[in-house]
Structures are given as structure tokens and as C-alpha cells.
Amino acid sequence: MEVTTVALSAGDTLNIGEIRTEWHWIKPAIEEILEANPHLTYIPEDVYAEVKSGHAVLWVADKAFAVTTSETDQYSGEKTLLVWVCWSKPNGTSVLFRHLEELTRVAADSGYAWIETRTQNERLGEALGHWDWELDHIVYRRSCHGFKT
């Protein structure tokens, strides 16, 4: 992604961060996310590796960060910018909402057809609806561990 800084009002900026430099506070934040969401299967070091290898981008703002990845639809070829990991303090002032318009602009300027995030939090979905996001699909899962025929 070519953009490195997105300027916002009141001096707030969203910058592409260096994972190694920011790791001292990013790792505990990811651990906090994972503790609150035990269904997630990655570990903090997976996020580090994805960013370091260039498969994901770390965005850093004041007391907040987001990690985005790129997905391409295998049939249409349309690209989606996925907001994969998102954290901010205090809770409730999500970097996703604070920088939503800017992230969308960066996605559009970079050739993405969509910007997407995933959550189990229905309140987040309702809030995104106020920003013209739409529900695309719902996934239901059932464990097969211990299932016998």
C-alpha cells in the first residue's frame, strides 16, 4: 500500500507502523483481544509474522491500531481490504470508527472494491450499519470434535 499517513482532524493521524518498533504495546493488546475472544485461533506472533512478511499492514493511531489484510475473490477478482485486528483505548473509541472514512478512502485509492471487518459483536454490526456498512453473510459453525457416527 503506497499511503503511509492519513491526516485526520484535531491532529489525529493514522500511520503505517513498523511492527517491531510498536510490538511492546501491540502484543499485550492482541493478548487482550484473544482473551476476550477465545474463538480466535491466531496468536500474537502470527500477527507479527503476517505484518513482517508483508501479508498484512499495521496501522497505528493515538492509543489504537488496526491490522489489515487483502483478500481477492476467486471468481470476480475483486479485492477486499479486511480489517483483521482492531484495538483502541479507551474501549468504545475503536480505531475502525475514528478512521473509517480514511481507511475507506485508502482502500478505494488502492483499487479495493470493498472494505470489510468481522465480529461476533452484534452491537458493532449495528454501529457499522449507521456508517453505510451492510451485512454480507452469517457463518454458523458446529464442532466435529468427538462426533461419532
Side-chain angles (χ1 to χ4, degrees), residues 8 32 38-39 68 91 96 130:
L8 304 173
E32 182 180 309
H39 65 282
T68 59
N91 288 335
L96 181 61
H130 295 293

Side-chain angles (χ1 to χ4, degrees), residues 1-3 14-17 19 30 46-60 65-71 80-87 95-96 99-100 102-104 106-107 110 112 114-117 133:
M1 214 170 271
E2 295 178 21
V3 176
L14 182 65
N15 301 296
I16 292 180
I19 191 75
I30 295 171
D46 294 330
V47 177
Y48 185 99
E50 289 296 307
V51 173
K52 199 67 177 162
S53 70
H55 294 120
V57 175
L58 171 65
W59 297 89
V60 179
F65 76 90
V67 178
T68 59
T69 62
S70 183
E71 296 183 345
T80 297
L81 182 67
L82 173 65
V83 181
W84 174 35
V85 182
C86 195
W87 180 92
V95 67
L96 181 61
H99 303 284
L100 188 58
E102 290 72 22
L103 278 173
T104 303
V106 167
S110 300
Y112 288 90
W114 303 96
I115 184 169
E116 179 178 299
T117 193
W133 287 53

Side-chain angles (χ1 to χ4, degrees), residues 128-139:
L128 286 170
H130 295 293
W131 290 81
D132 297 326
W133 287 53
E134 58 188 52
L135 178 63
D136 182 71
H137 63 277
I138 298 173
V139 175

Side-chain angles (χ1 to χ4, degrees), residues 18-66:
E18 167 53 49
I19 191 75
R20 188 174 189 156
T21 304
E22 308 293 343
W23 191 240
H24 67 280
W25 68 276
I26 299 284
K27 181 180 180 182
I30 295 171
E31 289 170 340
E32 182 180 309
I33 291 167
L34 294 173
E35 185 176 320
N37 299 276
H39 65 282
L40 297 174
T41 58
Y42 61 85
I43 61 174
E45 289 77 10
D46 294 330
V47 177
Y48 185 99
E50 289 296 307
V51 173
K52 199 67 177 162
S53 70
H55 294 120
V57 175
L58 171 65
W59 297 89
V60 179
D62 184 37
K63 299 178 186 149
F65 76 90

